[in-house]
């Protein structure tokens, strides 16, 4: 156990020594960076002081020349700005003019569209009224035609019925006449046939009587003619 404690103590001392070394190195790096920053700052400060000294050594002629150049540059800049402002105002005025013209055209187009729509509506109303009037006239005409057609149909049925009754009556009369004539014809034909048969029988009986000297036994009695 003592040896283990010794080894642990050695390892701990080694770790602490390494940590101290790393900390010292880190601090040394920070100090070096700070020193470098201080040297850079001093260099810049010296350069700035030199520039200020050089600027302080500028003569009046140089100042006048620079002021004149600055004034000329500023005049040119003001002229450029004035020109640019004028161009912007002109562009703005033109844009306003175009917008107003477009607005006027839009309003005029809306007014024209409204007038056209009103005219279409008036025409549609007039056409609708005309259609309604034509429909009423057609309905009245149709009703009148239907009434006239119904009356004509009733008259036609009445006339047709009367004509049918008359035709049936005439047909029955003609049929009765034809039947009557046929019966009369049949009666006349039967009577003529009976008379001819009687005459034949009578002649045949007379011949037999003359031959035998007496009336025949099979002779039929004579029927008096009507």
């Amino acid at each position: 156990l003592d040896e283990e404690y010794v080894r642990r103590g050695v390892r701990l001392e080694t770790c602490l020594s390494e940590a101290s070394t790393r900390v010292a190195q880190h601090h040394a790096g920070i100090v070096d960076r700070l020193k470098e920053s201080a040297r850079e700052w001093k260099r810049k400060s010296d350069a700035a002081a030199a520039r200020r000294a050089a600027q302080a050594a500028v003569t009046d002629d140089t100042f006048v020349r620079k002021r004149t150049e600055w004034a000329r540059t500023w005049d040119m800049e003001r002229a450029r700005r004035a020109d640019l402002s004028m161009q912007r105002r002109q562009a703005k005025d033109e844009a306003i003019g175009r917008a107003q013209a477009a607005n006027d055209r839009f309003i005029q187009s809306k007014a024209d569209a409204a007038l056209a729509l009103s005219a279409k509506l008036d025409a549609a109303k007039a056409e609708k009224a005309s259609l309604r009037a034509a429909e009423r006239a057609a309905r009245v005409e149709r009703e009148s035609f239907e009434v006239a057609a119904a009356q004509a149909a009733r008259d036609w049925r009445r006339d047709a019925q009367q004509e049918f009754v008359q035709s049936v009556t005439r047909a029955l009369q003609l049929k009765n006449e034809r039947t009557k004539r046929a019966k009369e014809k049949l009666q006349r034909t039967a009577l003529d046939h009976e008379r001819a048969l009687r005459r034949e029988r009578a002649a045949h009986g007379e011949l037999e009587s003359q031959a035998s000297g007496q009336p025949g036994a099979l002779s039929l009695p004579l029927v008096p003619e009507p």
Side-chain angles (χ1 to χ4, degrees), residues 31-199:
V31 171
D32 293 337
R33 287 194 296 273
L34 290 174
K35 288 179 179 181
E36 182 65 26
S37 297
R39 287 193 295 270
E40 182 66 22
W41 178 83
K42 188 176 184 306
R43 184 181 62 77
K44 291 181 179 179
S45 179
D46 294 341
R51 284 195 301 274
R52 286 193 298 271
Q55 290 176 358
V58 175
T59 62
D60 292 339
D61 294 337
T62 304
F63 177 77
V64 172
R65 181 177 56 80
K66 288 184 177 182
R67 185 172 180 81
T68 304
E69 185 178 356
W70 178 84
R72 183 176 59 81
T73 304
W74 176 241
D75 292 338
M76 292 174 61
E77 180 65 19
R78 282 190 303 179
R80 188 186 67 80
R81 292 183 180 182
D83 189 15
L84 182 60
S85 177
M86 185 179 294
Q87 291 178 1
R88 288 178 178 176
R89 283 197 300 270
Q90 290 178 357
K92 185 177 180 180
D93 294 338
E94 292 177 358
I96 292 173
R98 289 194 297 270
Q100 289 178 351
N103 188 27
D104 294 338
R105 290 194 299 271
F106 178 75
I107 293 173
Q108 186 64 35
S109 64
K110 288 296 183 181
D112 295 340
L115 292 175
L117 181 61
S118 178
K120 287 182 180 180
L121 291 176
D122 294 339
K125 289 180 181 179
E127 185 178 1
K128 189 175 182 181
S130 177
L131 290 175
R132 287 182 177 176
E135 185 178 358
R136 287 194 297 270
R139 184 169 62 251
V140 171
E141 184 178 359
R142 185 170 59 252
E143 291 176 355
S144 301
F145 176 76
E146 290 177 354
V147 171
Q151 184 64 34
R154 288 193 295 270
D155 296 341
W156 180 82
R157 284 195 296 271
R158 184 180 66 252
D159 297 340
Q161 186 176 3
Q162 292 176 358
E163 184 177 358
F164 177 74
V165 172
Q166 291 175 1
S167 62
V168 170
T169 302
R170 288 194 299 270
L172 291 175
Q173 290 177 357
L174 292 174
K175 183 177 180 182
N176 292 332
E177 290 177 358
R178 287 196 299 270
T179 303
K180 183 177 180 181
R181 287 195 298 270
K183 287 181 178 180
E184 291 177 354
K185 184 177 180 180
L186 289 174
Q187 289 177 359
R188 287 196 301 270
T189 304
L191 290 175
D192 293 340
H193 181 70
E194 183 68 23
R195 291 192 186 97
L197 183 61
R198 287 176 179 175
R199 285 193 295 270

Side-chain angles (χ1 to χ4, degrees), residues 211-223:
S212 59
Q214 58 182 357
L218 298 178
S219 63
L220 296 175
L222 296 174
V223 179

